[in-house]
Amino acid sequence: MYLVGIDLGGTKIAASLAGEDGGLLATRQCPTPPGSDFAPVLGACVRLVEALFREAGLPQAQLGAVGLSCPGPLDLRAGRIIQVATAGWQDVPVRQLFQQALGVPVYLENDANAAAYAEAVAGAGRGCASVVYFTVSTGVGGGIVLDGKVLDGAHGSAAELGHITVDPQGPACPCGSRGCVQLYSSGTSIARRARQALAAGARSCLEQAPQVDARAVENGVRAGDPLCREIWQDAMYRLGTAAGILNQVLDPDLFVFGGGVSNAWDLMEAPILEGARAYSYAKNAHLIRVDKASLGSLAGTTGAVLLARDLL
Amino acid sequence: MYLVGIDLGGTKIAASLAGEDGGLLATRQCPTPPGSDFAPVLGACVRLVEALFREAGLPQAQLGAVGLSCPGPLDLRAGRIIQVATAGWQDVPVRQLFQQALGVPVYLENDANAAAYAEAVAGAGRGCASVVYFTVSTGVGGGIVLDGKVLDGAHGSAAELGHITVDPQGPACPCGSRGCVQLYSSGTSIARRARQALAAGARSCLEQAPQVDARAVENGVRAGDPLCREIWQDAMYRLGTAAGILNQVLDPDLFVFGGGVSNAWDLMEAPILEGARAYSYAKNAHLIRVDKASLGSLAGTTGAVLLARDLL
């Protein structure tokens, strides 16, 4: 038996073929067909699966189960996409569609939870019973793995880690809450805060940057620019504040940080730990462990494969 | 086979006898022998167990397992009390001591987690897979039950719910963090804030109260006193803020509130829900469910009995 994990994104689709143990054998990807019609997207996924088996010289009849990592919000119980705003998909019964198209059981999970599961089982958290995973890129998301299981919650809404309040008096968030950590620590927010500071007249090497994005701020930190440093430290300290709150609630073995921004892990670890320790029991602060995600862009398909394995 | 649950407190000890299904048959209690020597405490517990069997006309040889609910901090893996400051106990290998004295397996759990387990399985949360339990009395504590299991955490420090930060810029907490919800919402904190307001010259019916405690503030709210109302609403709204943050993390079926202050549940429900909804996803806010604990003073021994049952 073989497994397939599909990482369905708004701009690209990746699929990995794996053995029964979950070890990846091959990965392929393609652009996501544009438009709100889901049929071409399903077709592209089916072709990726066919190509993986063909190129591996394996009969597709040996496909045992498929894991599907998908942006949300999803209705996990019903196996449906409620909405993927970036792609325009709405109310798609994805589990049923993939089961019909591929003829095997399908495990649907949201993308951040699937990546968390991958990092907890096969990545930086390997060997840990409980892992909290933050993905820090355009937004901040995450997943929680406790006792080796993804925490979905009573309504599939657990681990909305980007929308943990780190300042109850902070600015309103589009999610309806206030002072969510995503408003300070996402790549988008880091860039926005830098642009706001420049517009308010702050001096910085960013004035010469062709584009003021999180990467430019990171470069500014490396060049010793005070404004970049201030924005970056605050972003990471607040991410640490959220981790500290989570430590009081979950007391996990490990916090793992992935996503594009986390490529600058050498600049993140210290301020994240400082924030996490400041908002935890002093007596437990030394027990907090943080690490960089280790699976990179394969986290999505790896998590999907491991979830498919759980179906067998 | 019969089970016993012991609720070991700094001022009193309670013990319940139960059938194999966990249903309580009888409960007895006695004052906790004072002093830092644990031997008299163990002796008092053993006599309670003997009395329970004797009065029920049952042979103690049919005792199958004991659950022990204890204040902390505890080392759950080692089965030890690290310290119970109010009683003066320090570094006591309680699991081993009770196993030797009673000749059966002993399950040790901290008191807030045991009460949470009781409320989740046999109390207000009966039928729910996941329950977050807050105890609001002198302090604020709590426990988390997920998929019918107590969440202990990697180091036995999960669910420190009184020390969730609801204001990162708030006052320092003795725990080492800042702006912990306990600083606003415990009975002690409600009373302290009222006394501070009076000392600062605020006018209130509390000036006539024989003692300014949380109960007096509650009575002031019922009498329409504006200062009492302001302090009370803030305390409960902040408790709701913590619940909102927990909802983003855990998405539980139910939040349950116990402890002495929660006897005023009719004055708590609305501001707690308001705070919880304000700090959750707007789309999920209507799914948040809160309720009053239903087991009262029997939560401790009930939880201990149910944990003992899990040992069989």
Side-chain angles (χ1 to χ4, degrees):
Chain A
M1 280 297 191
Y2 292 88
L3 305 166
V4 164
I6 300 173
D7 184 5
L8 188 53
T11 55
K12 72 177 174 63
I13 305 168
S16 293
L17 177 67
E20 225 169 37
D21 62 350
L24 300 200
L25 301 172
T27 299
R28 283 185 67 103
Q29 63 177 60
C30 69
T32 305
S36 61
D37 182 10
F38 197 77
V41 180
L42 178 64
C45 291
V46 170
R47 283 192 298 279
L48 279 179
V49 176
E50 288 166 353
L52 282 166
F53 274 91
R54 192 173 56 241
E55 285 167 23
L58 293 166
Q60 200 176 324
Q62 287 184 21
L63 175 61
V66 166
L68 182 59
S69 160
C70 192
L74 309 175
D75 181 338
L76 293 176
R77 287 198 192 156
R80 299 175 85 86
I81 289 174
I82 296 171
Q83 188 185 33
V84 176
T86 50
W89 308 327
Q90 207 148 3
D91 198 24
V92 184
V94 275
R95 189 163 61 208
Q96 190 196 341
L97 290 174
F98 278 82
Q99 275 171 358
Q100 284 169 351
L102 294 166
V104 295
V106 173
Y107 196 118
L108 175 68
E109 187 51 273
N110 84 52
D111 50 2
N113 285 358
Y117 192 53
E119 288 292 342
V121 174
R126 203 171 172 149
C128 294
S130 53
V131 171
V132 173
Y133 171 78
F134 279 95
T135 170
V136 192
S137 59
T138 314
V140 174
I144 296 169
V145 177
L146 298 175
D147 277 334
K149 281 171 57 189
V150 173
L151 179 72
D152 283 324
H155 317 89
S157 303
E160 294 289 1
L161 303 190
H163 298 278
I164 292 176
T165 293
V166 292
D167 184 1
Q169 279 82 51
C173 179
C175 83
S177 180
R178 265 189 188 279
C180 294
V181 65
Q182 173 167 292
L183 297 175
Y184 307 92
S185 311
S186 69
T188 312
S189 296
I190 291 170
R192 188 193 64 243
R193 297 177 86 192
R195 284 193 300 269
Q196 286 170 342
L198 292 177
R203 306 310 305 261
S204 163
C205 69
L206 289 173
E207 295 168 78
Q208 275 75 53
Q211 200 184 346
V212 178
D213 54 17
R215 190 61 190 272
V217 176
E218 176 198 334
N219 290 337
V221 177
R222 296 193 189 282
D225 184 77
L227 177 70
C228 291
R229 190 182 147 77
E230 185 189 321
I231 290 167
W232 183 270
Q233 292 291 108
D234 184 63
M236 297 308 151
Y237 187 84
R238 296 210 191 234
L239 202 51
T241 302
I245 291 170
L246 285 164
N247 195 57
Q248 298 292 81
V249 176
L250 300 171
D251 179 22
D253 286 295
L254 182 66
F255 291 90
V256 176
F257 296 83
V261 173
S262 301
N263 288 325
W265 179 243
D266 59 314
L267 300 180
M268 292 170 73
E269 186 174 2
I272 286 175
L273 260 181
E274 193 192 338
R277 287 175 174 155
Y279 294 101
S280 291
Y281 260 25
K283 69 177 175 67
N284 296 340
H286 68 287
L287 298 170
I288 299 175
R289 287 176 55 216
V290 300
D291 205 353
K292 181 184 192 296
S294 72
L295 298 172
S297 63
L298 288 174
T301 61
T302 301
V305 158
L306 294 168
L307 291 162
R309 187 179 66 168
D310 294 345
L311 279 178
L312 289 189
Chain B
M1 281 296 192
Y2 292 88
L3 305 167
V4 164
I6 299 173
D7 184 6
L8 189 54
T11 55
K12 72 176 175 63
I13 305 169
S16 293
L17 177 67
E20 226 169 36
D21 62 350
L24 299 199
L25 302 172
T27 300
R28 282 185 67 103
Q29 63 176 61
C30 69
T32 305
S36 62
D37 182 10
F38 197 77
V41 180
L42 179 65
C45 291
V46 170
R47 283 193 299 279
L48 279 180
V49 175
E50 288 166 354
L52 283 166
F53 274 91
R54 191 172 57 242
E55 286 167 22
L58 293 167
Q60 199 176 326
Q62 287 184 21
L63 175 61
V66 167
L68 183 58
S69 160
C70 192
L74 310 175
D75 182 337
L76 293 175
R77 286 197 194 158
R80 299 174 84 87
I81 290 175
I82 296 171
Q83 189 185 33
V84 176
T86 50
W89 308 327
Q90 206 147 4
D91 198 24
V92 184
V94 276
R95 189 164 61 207
Q96 190 195 340
L97 289 174
F98 277 82
Q99 274 171 359
Q100 284 169 353
L102 295 166
V104 296
V106 173
Y107 196 118
L108 175 67
E109 188 51 90
N110 84 53
D111 51 2
N113 285 357
Y117 193 53
E119 287 291 343
V121 174
R126 203 170 173 149
C128 294
S130 54
V131 171
V132 173
Y133 170 79
F134 278 95
T135 169
V136 191
S137 59
T138 314
V140 174
I144 296 169
V145 177
L146 298 177
D147 277 334
K149 281 172 57 188
V150 173
L151 180 72
D152 283 325
H155 316 90
S157 303
E160 293 290 1
L161 304 190
H163 298 279
I164 291 175
T165 293
V166 292
D167 183 2
Q169 278 82 52
C173 178
C175 82
S177 180
R178 270 192 183 278
C180 295
V181 65
Q182 173 167 292
L183 298 174
Y184 306 93
S185 310
S186 69
T188 312
S189 296
I190 291 170
R192 187 192 67 245
R193 297 177 86 192
R195 285 193 300 268
Q196 286 170 343
L198 292 177
R203 307 309 307 261
S204 163
C205 68
L206 289 173
E207 295 168 80
Q208 274 76 53
Q211 201 183 346
V212 179
D213 54 16
R215 189 62 191 271
V217 176
E218 176 198 333
N219 291 337
V221 177
R222 295 193 190 282
D225 184 78
L227 177 70
C228 290
R229 188 182 149 78
E230 185 189 322
I231 291 167
W232 183 269
Q233 292 290 107
D234 185 63
M236 297 308 151
Y237 186 84
R238 296 210 191 234
L239 201 51
T241 303
I245 291 170
L246 285 163
N247 195 56
Q248 298 292 80
V249 177
L250 300 171
D251 180 22
D253 286 295
L254 182 66
F255 291 90
V256 176
F257 295 82
V261 172
S262 301
N263 289 325
W265 179 242
D266 59 315
L267 300 180
M268 292 169 74
E269 186 174 2
I272 285 175
L273 260 182
E274 193 192 339
R277 287 176 174 155
Y279 294 101
S280 291
Y281 261 24
K283 70 178 176 66
N284 296 340
H286 68 287
L287 297 170
I288 299 175
R289 287 176 53 216
V290 300
D291 205 353
K292 182 184 192 294
S294 71
L295 298 172
S297 63
L298 288 175
T301 62
T302 301
V305 158
L306 294 169
L307 291 161
R309 187 180 65 168
D310 293 344
L311 278 179
L312 289 189

